[in-house]
Amino acid sequence: MQIAHLKSMWPEGLSDPSGRRQAKPRTRGLTMVIDKGLGLHAFDDLLSSSGEYIDIVKLGFGTSPLYPLPIIRDKIKLALKHGIKIMPGGTLLEAAVRLDLVPGFFNQVASLGFTSIEVSDGTINLSRARRSELIKDARSLGLSVSTEYGKKLFGSRIDVEDFASTAEQDWACGAELVTVEARESGKGVGLFDERGECRDEDLSHILSVVPNLDRILWEAPLKDQQVALIKALGADVHLGNIPAQDVITLESMRRGLRSDTFELQQAPYLEYMI
């Protein structure tokens, strides 16, 4: 038996008992992975084993200029080969704004072959006009844009009305997704409290006010956060800042292949009588 044929030997439907997961390119249930410094071989291994379940890779924070150029170019090529969008972290653009180096940032992003950027103000303050300008400039270069809402400071919360207004304006400027900030720790920022638990009242308020929830991506690096959002919003919720080692685990939860979300399975329930 050849290894290439092993996957097809599983009974039909067992790989996705939910019966709902889209094949790539997906529009529902996007998974964004944060790469905090994987070597090229590890990155290749990640995409070889999990690339089917990854839609976006973000090279975290401001790490992109720290890679040797051949390695970052190879990472970008591998991502594109697997149908994955790839972008530098929003902190890098924030640094470019602060240092007045935005044209150089865009030139290098285009030269290297990145497909996307993230526009954020988690550390700096951006005026509405400047935020809109950055989104439009990126779109004019053929880049897709994700924006991010929220501050990285521990204890920061979501102003729901401001979030709704910001998201509407970002979409009007050409952003594809608006991301809810949670940092890579998932604790004490945005939707999550200092223990990393979901603020259910805040989530309910967001769901009642913010339109186009299918264009919101929720940073949720911790397993219990992913479970909570899947149960609240369904398996097709967009989730980000997923650690590389957790991609297949998350996909199993989306499909009802882990006990936490077993109820997502669509197969008829059978009782066996002895």
Side-chain angles (χ1 to χ4, degrees):
M1 180 182 299
Q2 296 181 3
I3 293 178
H5 294 160
L6 286 177
K7 185 176 179 181
S8 65
M9 299 300 291
W10 293 105
E12 185 177 358
L14 192 57
S15 64
D16 182 14
S18 76
R20 292 192 295 263
R21 287 295 282 154
Q22 284 185 327
K24 293 172 70 173
R26 276 181 287 273
T27 58
R28 305 191 308 267
L30 303 180
T31 294
M32 181 267 278
V33 168
I34 184 169
D35 176 353
K36 298 190 287 185
L38 291 174
L40 187 58
H41 293 301
F43 190 76
D44 192 6
D45 286 345
L46 169 68
L47 300 195
S48 295
S49 62
S50 309
E52 184 178 347
Y53 315 118
I54 301 171
D55 304 284
I56 306 166
V57 167
K58 177 169 69 176
L59 304 185
F61 338 117
T63 58
S64 296
L66 305 183
Y67 289 96
L69 285 178
I71 289 181
I72 199 167
R73 286 194 175 103
D74 285 346
K75 279 194 168 188
I76 291 169
K77 289 177 183 177
L78 282 168
L80 299 182
K81 177 182 175 183
H82 287 269
I84 296 169
K85 293 181 179 180
I86 184 166
M87 61 186 179
T91 302
L92 186 61
L93 179 53
E94 291 183 42
V97 170
R98 183 173 182 270
L99 298 170
D100 197 21
L101 294 172
V102 171
F105 167 86
F106 278 125
N107 287 340
Q108 187 68 337
V109 164
S111 173
L112 288 170
F114 281 106
T115 57
S116 310
I117 66 159
E118 181 178 67
V119 175
S120 65
D121 57 1
T123 306
I124 64 172
N125 292 317
L126 281 178
S127 68
R128 180 63 252 179
R130 185 64 161 139
R131 186 178 177 100
S132 297
E133 179 185 35
L134 291 169
I135 297 169
K136 292 176 181 178
D137 285 349
R139 294 294 299 124
S140 72
L141 294 171
L143 298 165
S144 64
V145 178
S146 293
T147 61
E148 188 171 69
Y149 181 88
K151 295 298 182 183
K152 297 183 183 297
L153 183 66
F154 187 87
S156 61
R157 301 282 293 269
I158 298 171
D159 181 324
V160 176
E161 280 70 25
D162 183 61
F163 174 41
S165 174
T166 299
E168 286 278 22
Q169 293 177 79
D170 287 354
W171 292 324
C173 290
E176 292 185 6
L177 294 171
V178 177
T179 300
V180 180
E181 173 71 72
R183 305 206 68 178
E184 76 281 4
S185 69
K187 295 182 179 180
V189 173
L191 187 63
F192 306 115
D193 66 19
E194 65 278 1
R195 297 180 301 278
E197 296 178 3
C198 185
R199 304 181 197 271
D200 292 332
E201 290 185 6
D202 287 4
L203 178 59
S204 296
H205 191 188
I206 291 170
L207 300 185
S208 68
V209 172
V210 178
N212 297 328
L213 288 171
D214 59 340
R215 299 179 70 183
I216 299 292
L217 184 144
W218 310 80
E219 290 186 348
L222 305 180
K223 191 266 284 187
D224 288 347
Q225 298 168 353
Q226 298 157 20
V227 171
L229 287 168
I230 288 172
K231 288 187 173 182
L233 299 173
D236 287 331
V237 60
H238 304 319
L239 297 174
N241 275 14
I242 305 304
Q245 69 272 16
D246 292 342
V247 173
I248 288 182
T249 299
L250 170 57
E251 190 64 29
S252 72
M253 291 191 293
R254 290 188 186 276
R255 297 173 183 230
L257 287 168
R258 183 166 173 151
S259 61
D260 307 86
T261 57
F262 205 71
E263 67 271 17
L264 294 177
Q265 295 187 12
Q266 298 297 298
Y269 179 76
L270 300 177
E271 289 188 344
Y272 294 92
M273 303 297 293
I274 298 178

